[in-house]
Structures are given as structure tokens and as C-alpha cells.
Amino acid sequence: MNTLTIWTLDWVPRGPRGFVRDLRLRWACEEAGIPYEVRTVAFEDRATNHLAQQPFGQVPFLQDGDVELFESGAGLLHLARKSERLMPRDPAGEAQALQWTIAALNSIEMVTVPWWFLKISGEPNEKLNGWMTSRLDHIERVLGEQEWLAAGRFTVADLLMADVLRVPDVRAFGKRPATEAYVARVTDRPAFKKAYSEQIAQFEASDRKRSAGA
Amino acid sequence: MNTLTIWTLDWVPRGPRGFVRDLRLRWACEEAGIPYEVRTVAFEDRATNHLAQQPFGQVPFLQDGDVELFESGAGLLHLARKSERLMPRDPAGEAQALQWTIAALNSIEMVTVPWWFLKISGEPNEKLNGWMTSRLDHIERVLGEQEWLAAGRFTVADLLMADVLRVPDVRAFGKRPATEAYVARVTDRPAFKKAYSEQIAQFEASDRKRSAGA
């Protein structure tokens, strides 16, 4: 009865498919060989229908026995503690994986997400463009010098950083060959491909159910 | 020889004083009773003079024996593992503290920082205003229902969330009494006051040294 449960939305429009953040948790479970099931809350009224589980009305959230937690980054760090495949166990390697996980959330995504938000809102902003350039150039330099972010091997930090960097608009923002090769390398992993195709398949199954019900 | 070292800049202009993020790590050490020293890198050429320690040219970074790590959020989670005062040891309490720490970084600061950046650049943006309102209203609802974010007591999550929310422009963005009371309550803690006044004192001492050298 202690199967780990990843909660996501029961349906989303075509645009975000393949990018809904339950994918991060599916992917981590696939990398680590942790069994899991996926359950859903309704897309309709999502802003208010699951505030008790996720106080910002977002997904995913995770249930692991008595432990419940939201924020995909927190879910990843929780899963990482269960498997050395995601997070090295030596203190120096663990610190490296932790710092790069937080860097993906707070130094890269803190710039890419608002930049993207204004871009798709039709209000691209020069100040945010400059901030994007600076942060992505720093990452490009790092990835030109090393294959993985932490401990000389794939860790949860690469999973998250690649997930942040693989957004098509972010990839298209200037030419950064080391970053591009990194994203290709990480998303070529079988665990990513499985998580990705299963998320797509879930939403396509919802399409069919909706059509049948309509 | 194993004293924990917090690295920051040797000087900053008056504006950011009291908000440079080494304060988060000083504060956490004070809460936990962990001895530490503060060392500095030069403000001049800061964009490139310590890239080996911090790949985005920022501060703080932390040295703890053989372990080095950057990102204030990562430093806080590292320190939290050393002290139950910062992070509960039971799995459910720990998960709560972890999720709210990540929420401060990736659901709140991911909005407040770009919002503030465009505001002080003289380009306030209506889309970001709307995003700010939504996220801060969610936090206001949560803080209206509970005194602390996790485990019914002060944790590292409150330290970080309060540090994100205490920024004057953020506090002034609409009236949210529960948030305001929370920020006042958390920043009234002796550990915050000590960390804050010591950061201010450090930069004032640099002013005097600079004047003497000029």
C-alpha cells in the first residue's frame, strides 16, 4: 500500500504536453528504479480544486507513505535521498548535486521562466533578454568544461537542469553548442524518453475520453 | 581548522546592505549555534574574479571542511542537515520544511526577483504585477491559517521565506496583514538581528578602510 504516487492534472492543452512538471518526478523514478503510480486532479477549476495539496494550485505533488510534498524541486530532492543513482552519497559529491539542483531552480529557471512568460505574452523585455544571455552564457562555459554538473556523472542536478534548458524557446535563444549537446545527451536517456512518452500518452488518452464523453 | 566559512563580497553600495545573501547563511548558523567565519572576495571585478568558486559570479558560497557549495538555498539545506533547530528530523516534518524552502526559491522568489528587477529598471510590467498578486495572495492565505510554514514551528523554510518576503518593495505591494505579521515575527528573532547587524557592520568597516586608503 506504500506505492509512491505522483499527482498531476487529468488533462492539459497540447502546448504544455511533454513539459508538465510531473515529468521530472516520473523521470527521476525511472532513473532510480522506484515504482510509482500517477493519479490526477481535474484540469477544470485547477486554480482552487487542490489547494489543500498544493497551495499555489499547481502540479505536481508527491505522496510517499505518510510523507506528502509539493514543488517538483522538493520532490526530486526527496527521491534523490532514496537512490544513489540520483545523488552521490559522499559529502562532496552530494553538495555538488545539491548546489546545481538549486542553481537550476533559482539561478536559471528564475530567469528563463519570467523571460518566457513575457515572451509568450507578446511583451518581450530587453532587460530580461540581457539577464538570460548572462545566465545562459555562464552555463555554456561550465558545460564546455565538464560533461556532467556534479561528481563526474549523471545526477538529479542534470535531470533538473536539462529539463529547464530543453524548453524550445530557451534552446533557440542564441547558439550555445555545449548546452545543446548537453540537453541532447541528457534527454537521450531511456528514463527521460519513457517518462516523456508516458506523459504524452496520458493526455492523449484523456483526449479520447473527452471526445467519447462529449 | 574545520571552521565553516561563509564567503561574501568585501564591499557593496548602501542599497543592498542588509540584503546580500550571505545573511541567510549567517542567520542559519546563528539559529543553529554553528560557529562560522566570514571571508570575502573583491567587489571590483566580481563578475569574473571568483567564477571558480561561484560560476555565476555571485555570493555567497560556503566552505565546510572538504565540502564547498554555492547557492544560498543549497547552503541553507546543507546547514539544515546539521541542526534539528533548522530542520525537523521526522520524515513528514522534514518534507514540509523542504517543500516550503523550495517554494520560497521557485514559487515566490522566481516571481518577486524579476518583478523587482523590472520595477527598479523603471519598466514595471502588468503581467508580472498580476503574477506577483496571485503568488503573494496564496502565501497570505497560508499564513492566515498557520504561524509557521512547516511542522508547527520555526524552520529553515521560515528563514528563507521571510527573507524573500521582507524586501521593502515586496512588503509594500498591497496589504497582506498575515504576511506582514509573519515577516515581523521572523525578523524579530535574535539570530536574524545579529546576522543583519553584523553584515551592516562589515560593510561599514569597509567604507572606513576605503576612505582611509583613498
Side-chain angles (χ1 to χ4, degrees):
Chain A
M1 292 307 286
N2 249 352
T3 303
L4 190 140
T5 306
I6 298 168
W7 289 82
T8 187
L9 294 169
D10 65 350
W11 181 87
V12 299
R14 207 153 287 270
R17 293 183 191 184
F19 294 92
V20 181
R21 290 177 182 180
D22 63 79
L23 195 147
R24 295 175 174 177
L25 304 182
R26 293 174 187 255
W27 182 4
C29 286
E30 296 290 346
E31 293 281 359
I34 297 169
Y36 63 99
E37 59 174 7
V38 176
R39 295 181 64 182
T40 59
V41 291
F43 175 77
E44 311 297 339
D45 300 321
R46 65 196 176 284
T48 53
N49 71 5
H50 61 284
L51 289 177
Q53 288 77 42
Q54 214 291 356
F56 302 101
Q58 299 185 298
V59 294
F61 47 96
L62 192 66
Q63 215 168 357
D64 181 12
D66 291 339
V67 171
E68 294 179 30
L69 74 175
F70 60 87
E71 288 284 336
S72 60
L76 287 178
L77 289 173
H78 176 78
L79 294 172
R81 297 182 57 178
K82 295 174 168 282
S83 169
E84 196 170 351
R85 294 189 209 166
L86 295 171
M87 179 81 98
R89 290 293 176 258
D90 66 293
E94 189 177 7
Q96 284 177 22
L98 176 61
Q99 76 186 356
W100 280 110
T101 299
I102 302 296
L105 297 169
N106 202 237
S107 284
I108 302 301
E109 201 166 37
M110 193 167 77
V111 183
T112 58
V113 167
W115 170 85
W116 181 81
F117 178 53
L118 290 193
K119 181 176 188 289
I120 60 154
S121 302
E123 304 180 25
N125 181 287
E126 268 311 304
K127 288 278 184 331
L128 291 192
N129 283 347
W131 204 19
M132 272 286 277
T133 300
S134 159
R135 292 291 163 92
L136 295 183
D137 285 354
H138 279 303
I139 284 289
E140 174 71 6
R141 191 191 68 251
V142 171
L143 294 174
E145 292 166 359
Q146 58 194 70
E147 191 175 358
W148 307 106
L149 291 175
R153 64 156 173 100
F154 175 85
T155 68
V156 68
D158 296 300
L159 184 160
L160 186 55
M161 187 66 85
D163 195 61
V164 169
L165 294 173
R166 77 185 170 90
V167 173
D169 284 330
V170 175
R171 279 172 99 154
F173 187 76
K175 286 206 184 312
R176 294 183 181 82
T179 304
E180 188 57 29
Y182 173 76
V183 169
R185 188 162 67 245
V186 179
T187 56
D188 194 44
R189 297 175 70 83
F192 171 80
K193 289 179 178 170
K194 183 161 188 289
Y196 183 90
S197 65
E198 289 186 0
Q199 178 180 100
I200 299 283
Q202 177 211 317
F203 292 131
E204 283 177 354
S206 299
D207 283 340
R208 287 192 295 275
K209 225 181 279 178
R210 289 191 159 208
S211 308
Chain B
M1 291 305 286
N2 251 352
T3 303
L4 190 140
T5 306
I6 298 168
W7 289 82
T8 187
L9 294 169
D10 65 350
W11 181 87
V12 299
R14 208 153 287 272
R17 291 183 192 184
F19 294 92
V20 181
R21 290 179 182 179
D22 63 80
L23 195 147
R24 294 174 176 177
L25 303 182
R26 293 174 188 256
W27 181 4
C29 286
E30 296 291 345
E31 293 281 359
I34 298 169
Y36 64 99
E37 59 175 6
V38 176
R39 296 180 65 183
T40 59
V41 291
F43 175 76
E44 311 296 339
D45 301 321
R46 64 196 176 284
T48 53
N49 71 6
H50 61 283
L51 288 178
Q53 288 76 44
Q54 214 291 356
F56 303 100
Q58 299 185 298
V59 294
F61 47 97
L62 192 65
Q63 216 168 357
D64 181 11
D66 291 340
V67 171
E68 294 179 29
L69 73 175
F70 61 86
E71 288 283 339
S72 61
L76 287 178
L77 290 173
H78 176 77
L79 294 172
R81 297 182 55 178
K82 295 174 167 284
S83 169
E84 195 170 351
R85 293 189 210 165
L86 295 171
M87 179 81 97
R89 290 292 176 257
D90 66 292
E94 189 176 10
Q96 284 177 21
L98 176 62
Q99 77 185 357
W100 279 111
T101 299
I102 302 296
L105 297 169
N106 202 239
S107 284
I108 302 301
E109 201 167 37
M110 192 168 78
V111 183
T112 59
V113 168
W115 170 85
W116 180 82
F117 178 53
L118 291 192
K119 180 175 189 290
I120 60 154
S121 303
E123 305 181 26
N125 180 288
E126 268 310 304
K127 287 279 184 331
L128 291 192
N129 282 348
W131 205 18
M132 273 284 278
T133 300
S134 157
R135 292 291 163 92
L136 295 183
D137 285 353
H138 279 303
I139 284 289
E140 173 71 6
R141 191 191 67 250
V142 170
L143 294 173
E145 291 166 0
Q146 58 195 70
E147 191 175 359
W148 307 106
L149 291 176
R153 64 157 174 101
F154 175 85
T155 68
V156 68
D158 296 300
L159 185 160
L160 185 55
M161 187 66 85
D163 195 60
V164 169
L165 295 173
R166 77 185 170 91
V167 173
D169 284 330
V170 175
R171 277 172 100 154
F173 187 77
K175 285 206 184 312
R176 295 183 181 82
T179 304
E180 189 57 28
Y182 173 75
V183 169
R185 186 162 68 244
V186 179
T187 57
D188 194 44
R189 297 175 70 83
F192 170 79
K193 289 179 178 169
K194 183 161 188 289
Y196 183 90
S197 64
E198 289 185 1
Q199 177 179 100
I200 299 283
Q202 177 211 317
F203 293 131
E204 283 177 353
S206 300
D207 283 339
R208 287 193 294 275
K209 225 180 280 177
R210 290 191 156 207
S211 307

